[in-house]
Amino acid sequence: MRRRSSRPRGGSVGRLPTPRNRALDMSKQYVTEASADTWIEARALRTFCADVFVDAGLPADAAATVADNLVVADLRGVHSHGVTRMEIYTERLRRGLFNPHPRITIDRTGAAACTIDGDNGMGAVVGTAAIGEAIEMAAATGLGAVTVRHSNHFGTTAYYIAKAVARGMFAFVCSNAPPTMAVWGGREPLFGTNPLGYGMPTGRYPAIVADLATSIVARGKILLAAQRGEMIPPGWALDPEGAPTTDPHAALIGAVLPFGEYKGSAFAMLVELLAGRLSGANSLQEVPDFYRDLKRVSNFGHFFLCLDVARFMDMDRFRARVDDMITTLKASKRAAGHAEVLMPGEIETRLQDERLRSGIPLTAEIVRLLETLAARHGVAFPAVSHRPLAAAEAVP
């Protein structure tokens, strides 16, 4: 058994006005090349975000980690977890709801088991430490399992999965979240959307990386429908009385439904058992609303599992077998309306490759948010283009 703690160092916490209502914040997530009017180079955006976080009180290494976590989400098209989160992250730092200098305690309870107390540090910082421990134990023993308590919103599960897959490992990652979803058969929001993900190395194909919520739909889509005055499809949510609703306003004070009915509910419970109960973190209704409750710390819980593939099969043989499976699946006769068969994470990988060349597309609203942060924290705003960077470079 090994015990150790780490404590980053940094400066003072900056100030930023309280974020506007959650509906406005979460509606910023739907960004496509068609809806964007600004593109920023990924490296410049990452540097900008890190500089803001340093002024907000994070040490430079922690700021770089959190900034990378957000920018990678935008690169992969998951804008709900991208730089739009800068506003609430810096606000929670200002209010003392994140610990910018956590003493992250790592307790190796066995050769392949570990518990981590994140001391209310930034979720991306705590999560990066956790996946590092899981990878290290798996490299030594073939398996590494880590529970985490006293953490915060940690971004996408794909961010951590990619680190393990790059080392030739299978990874499973999950986190609990504030309650917005009903258990199947109930009407109260008790589960969070409780994301989970897994990843596996491949050969010539992009790595398999699945990253999904256990709800049938992201709550942000319901928020956006409410803002636009649109109805939502049947089967997405319940109203406060437990009746199915297509009214987004009723849905927002009711509960989102799990995907696959009782099946999604079972997976949400799995996440709660591993990330919430087993870790010792807050669970179910104990987890405060990340946006609306600006008085209590979150105490999110996470779970990380890594398997060293080479302990089970020759790595080259395994990669070939996975490639063969993917080839068979992609050659499947396509259903109506589908141009091709896609593997988990394939769309996100393509987007990331493209956006590393063309820049990250941002809406005018997100740009205004970032410009406000730049002014508040005295950080220079990065250069922007009003067309994809590759296209801009081609214009004489």
Side-chain angles (χ1 to χ4, degrees):
M1 180 169 62
R2 182 182 63 180
R3 296 178 184 269
R4 70 176 187 266
S5 66
S6 58
R7 181 179 184 124
R9 290 190 285 267
S12 61
V13 175
R15 292 189 174 273
L16 183 71
T18 301
R20 294 160 292 171
N21 64 69
R22 183 176 184 178
L24 181 58
D25 286 5
M26 294 305 291
S27 73
K28 299 167 189 168
Q29 66 182 287
Y30 305 102
V31 184
T32 66
E33 276 69 11
S35 66
D37 56 12
T38 300
W39 281 257
I40 299 180
E41 194 267 332
R43 182 169 50 187
L45 186 58
R46 185 183 290 110
T47 299
F48 166 77
C49 293
D51 289 346
V52 168
F53 282 130
V54 167
D55 189 71
L58 289 182
D61 56 349
T65 296
V66 180
D68 185 60
N69 180 283
L70 299 179
V71 171
V72 168
D74 279 320
L75 282 170
R76 293 174 60 82
V78 189
H79 293 283
S80 59
H81 290 59
V83 297
T84 187
R85 296 269 177 172
M86 291 283 292
E87 184 178 34
I88 189 61
Y89 279 14
T90 52
E91 176 63 14
R92 289 184 75 89
L93 273 168
R94 184 185 75 82
R95 290 172 175 262
L97 296 172
F98 291 147
N99 182 357
H101 317 295
R103 293 188 181 276
I104 300 174
T105 304
I106 301 171
D107 185 359
R108 289 276 185 93
T109 58
C114 174
T115 66
I116 290 181
D117 187 320
D119 194 26
N120 195 35
M122 301 293 289
V125 174
V126 179
T128 297
I131 193 64
E133 289 294 313
I135 291 170
E136 185 178 310
M137 289 188 294
T141 70
L143 168 71
V146 179
T147 63
V148 178
R149 63 187 180 276
H150 295 136
S151 185
N152 285 287
H153 183 273
F154 75 167
T156 66
T157 64
Y159 184 76
Y160 309 99
I161 291 164
K163 296 178 185 296
V165 169
R167 293 282 300 273
M169 295 183 182
F170 164 83
F172 172 82
V173 177
C174 63
S175 176
N176 67 359
T180 56
M181 187 173 78
V183 62
W184 183 248
R187 71 184 192 189
E188 299 175 83
L190 293 175
F191 286 135
T193 55
N194 288 13
L196 59 85
Y198 71 87
M200 188 70 87
T202 57
R204 67 182 183 276
Y205 289 104
I208 296 170
V209 178
D211 182 349
L212 61 149
T214 53
S215 56
I216 194 169
V217 66
R219 191 167 184 267
K221 289 187 177 181
I222 299 175
L223 290 159
L224 188 61
Q227 284 198 322
R228 291 177 171 176
E230 300 171 350
M231 305 306 284
I232 59 174
W236 275 19
L238 302 176
D239 68 17
E241 302 305 315
T245 184
T246 57
D247 179 350
H249 299 283
L252 289 173
I253 56 175
V256 181
L257 288 169
F259 75 80
E261 301 181 342
Y262 61 90
K263 297 175 184 178
S265 189
F267 276 104
M269 186 171 184
L270 171 66
V271 172
E272 205 64 59
L273 288 168
L274 293 172
R277 299 292 166 156
L278 184 63
S279 69
N282 279 347
S283 179
L284 299 179
Q285 67 270 38
E286 296 170 346
V287 184
D289 188 292
F290 194 66
Y291 280 81
R292 292 186 177 132
D293 191 336
L294 296 179
K295 294 183 179 180
R296 292 188 294 160
V297 299
S298 296
N299 189 11
F300 280 35
H302 319 310
F303 178 78
F304 299 79
L305 175 69
C306 289
L307 299 176
D308 185 357
V309 172
R311 298 288 185 127
F312 300 87
M313 180 180 287
D314 174 78
M315 195 65 196
D316 289 339
R317 182 177 174 228
F318 177 78
R319 291 183 188 275
R321 285 174 60 81
V322 174
D323 282 354
D324 180 66
M325 181 185 77
I326 294 173
T327 298
T328 300
L329 294 173
K330 292 183 77 66
S332 174
K333 293 180 180 179
R334 289 180 284 283
H338 292 266
E340 64 176 313
V341 175
L342 295 163
M343 297 297 105
E346 190 170 0
I347 291 175
E348 291 84 355
T349 298
R350 290 180 185 177
L351 273 177
Q352 182 166 346
D353 291 344
E354 171 60 28
R355 290 176 175 184
L356 284 170
R357 296 188 296 271
S358 65
I360 293 174
L362 300 172
T363 63
E365 187 172 17
I366 295 177
V367 170
R368 285 194 294 270
L369 180 155
L370 297 178
E371 288 175 337
T372 298
L373 289 171
R376 296 291 182 184
H377 292 276
V379 175
F381 196 71
V384 304
S385 172
H386 294 295
R387 60 175 65 90
L389 297 181
E393 292 168 2
V395 175

